């Protein structure tokens, strides 16, 4: 029997992943405004206003209620909201899940924050939830995301052509990556070494 995906707090290296809630509206507005992230066509970042951020959180919580998602707010040690991430496409029959809908305020991008979040999420997925495979998907246009996923050590499985649409309605090819449970121990060592050196 596999662990149930109930809301949980994960933390390390001054980063805290806590269950996403409507209490995070103001923090996510502030995070979205840091770098005007919502203007990027290929991200899931909500516009920095109460209505859009509230709708974003409500949609994530609906996915949680349906059992297909587990969304988190990313918060620093001082309580400042840095962004959001989530498990999604949860399939207990294998079991597998995907990590995505990930974004951070511009001022913490290319810092230890993303590596820490991925270490926490992957560790929980493989070591607690007993997932066999974790997937990561991104837009063909999001070259920064592709580079970050490849730095993690994920395997590039291929591209789903004309798979979805971007915010502006343009067609999106989805670049697909995966990490197997058998690959996790070695990948974990690499992530831990990277975090240990700052």
């Amino acid at each position: 029997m596999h662990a149930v995906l109930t809301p949980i707090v994960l933390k390390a290296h001054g980063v805290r992943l806590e269950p996403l809630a409507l209490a995070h509206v103001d923090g996510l507005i502030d995070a979205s405004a840091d770098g005007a992230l919502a203007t990027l066509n290929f991200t899931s970042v909500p516009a920095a206003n109460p209505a859009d951020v509230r709708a974003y959180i409500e949609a994530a919580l609906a996915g949680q209620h349906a059992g297909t998602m587990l969304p988190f707010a990313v918060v620093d040690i001082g309580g400042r909201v840095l962004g959001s991430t989530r498990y999604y496409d949860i399939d207990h029959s294998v079991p597998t899940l995907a990590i995505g809908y990930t974004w951070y305020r511009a001022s913490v991008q290319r810092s230890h924050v993303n590596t820490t979040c991925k270490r926490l999420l992957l560790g929980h997925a493989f070591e607690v939830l007993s997932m066999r495979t974790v997937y990561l998907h991104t837009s063909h246009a999001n070259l920064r995301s592709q580079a970050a996923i490849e730095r993690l050590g994920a395997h590039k499985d291929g591209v789903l052509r004309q798979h979805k649409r971007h915010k502006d309605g343009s067609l999106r090819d989805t670049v697909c990556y995966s990490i197997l449970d058998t690959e996790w121990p070695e990948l974990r060592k690499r992530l831990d070494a990277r975090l240990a050196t700052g």
Side-chain angles (χ1 to χ4, degrees):
M1 178 154 179
H2 300 290
V4 176
L5 294 194
T6 52
I8 188 171
V9 173
L10 304 170
K11 56 185 177 180
H13 302 287
V15 177
R16 174 183 167 96
L17 296 177
E18 59 188 40
L20 186 65
L22 288 172
H24 294 113
V25 167
D26 289 344
L28 287 177
I29 290 171
D30 185 60
S32 176
D34 182 350
L37 303 177
T39 62
L40 298 173
N41 190 39
F42 47 73
T43 71
S44 63
V45 184
N49 65 68
D52 283 5
V53 171
R54 189 177 188 89
Y56 174 87
I57 294 173
E58 288 174 344
L61 294 178
Q64 178 178 311
H65 182 73
T68 60
M69 294 182 177
L70 189 63
F72 298 90
V74 182
V75 182
D76 70 13
I77 199 166
R80 181 178 63 147
V81 176
L82 305 179
S84 185
T85 189
R86 72 186 71 166
Y87 292 140
Y88 70 101
D89 283 354
I90 299 164
D91 181 351
H92 293 285
S93 69
V94 181
T96 63
L97 54 74
I99 295 173
Y101 293 85
T102 303
W103 59 274
Y104 309 106
R105 58 171 64 237
S107 57
V108 300
Q109 291 177 14
R110 297 188 177 276
S111 70
H112 74 290
V113 170
N114 185 54
T115 303
T116 301
C117 288
K118 292 302 188 293
R119 172 62 180 87
L120 289 168
L121 291 168
L122 288 165
H124 187 69
F126 287 120
E127 297 163 19
V128 178
L129 302 177
S130 301
M131 292 292 152
R132 299 305 304 268
T133 309
V134 171
Y135 298 102
L136 301 105
H137 301 149
T138 191
S139 167
H140 71 278
N142 196 344
L143 300 180
R144 180 177 287 187
S145 176
Q146 291 174 51
I149 293 169
E150 289 169 12
R151 279 196 305 274
L152 286 173
H155 179 270
K156 186 175 180 179
D157 297 320
V159 178
L160 297 174
R161 297 181 298 164
Q162 298 188 13
H163 179 228
K164 294 187 177 181
R165 290 192 182 273
H166 291 122
K167 290 177 181 175
D168 67 358
S170 62
L171 288 168
R172 163 186 145 161
D173 294 348
T174 298
V175 187
C176 305
Y177 297 86
S178 64
I179 300 167
L180 304 181
D181 54 352
T182 53
E183 297 166 342
W184 171 238
E186 183 60 33
L187 195 149
R188 178 181 58 206
K189 287 179 189 175
R190 289 165 53 187
L191 289 178
D192 286 344
R194 189 187 305 170
L195 288 166
T197 58

